[in-house]
Amino acid sequence: MPASAVPDDVYLLDVREDDEWAAGHAPAAHHLPMTELPARIADVPDDREVAVICRSGGRSAQVVAYLMRNGWDQVRNVEGGMGEWAAAGRPVVTDDGQPGRVA
C-alpha cells in the first residue's frame, strides 16, 4: 500500500530500531522493533487491518510475510517506508510531539 493511501484508522506498526523511532515516526504508529516481533507477536492485533512500516520497505515486507505465515490476513506493507511517508507529506514527529526526521 502506498504511504499516501494509509488510512488514519489503520493499526500502523513501525518495526524500525529504537534510534530510528526516536528520530521520528508517524504520530499514531505503534513501535515494535522487528527483532522483538517473535517474542511480542501477541501485541499485534489480528482482528483489524495492520499496516507495517520501516525505513524503506524491506524489513516491513519481511514482517508482513512473517505475520501472514502466523495467521494474520489483514496485514499490508507500506511501500517505500518512512521515506515515502515523509515524501508524501505525512507527519513525522518525535515522542514529545516535536517535528521529527526519518533516520
Side-chain angles (χ1 to χ4, degrees), residues 5-59:
V6 175
D8 290 336
D9 63 345
V10 74
Y11 187 94
L12 185 60
L13 180 63
D14 189 323
V15 297
R16 297 175 302 148
E17 295 300 317
D18 291 340
D19 60 326
E20 294 171 293
W21 170 268
H25 52 82
H30 302 268
H31 187 218
L32 175 56
M34 184 173 114
T35 55
E36 296 178 21
L37 181 64
R40 295 180 50 199
I41 195 167
D43 292 353
V44 181
D46 59 3
D47 60 348
R48 61 185 285 205
E49 186 175 9
V50 175
V52 185
I53 196 165
C54 65
R55 184 176 49 82
S56 63
R59 286 174 284 180

Side-chain angles (χ1 to χ4, degrees), residues 54-99:
C54 65
R55 184 176 49 82
S56 63
R59 286 174 284 180
S60 54
Q62 293 176 36
V63 168
V64 166
Y66 180 83
L67 289 170
M68 291 179 81
R69 283 193 309 270
N70 284 278
W72 273 254
D73 56 3
Q74 297 184 77
V75 61
R76 298 173 64 184
N77 187 29
V78 178
E79 300 161 8
M82 284 299 297
E84 265 314 302
W85 181 274
R90 308 287 304 257
V92 178
V93 299
T94 60
D95 281 339
D96 61 6
Q98 297 300 309

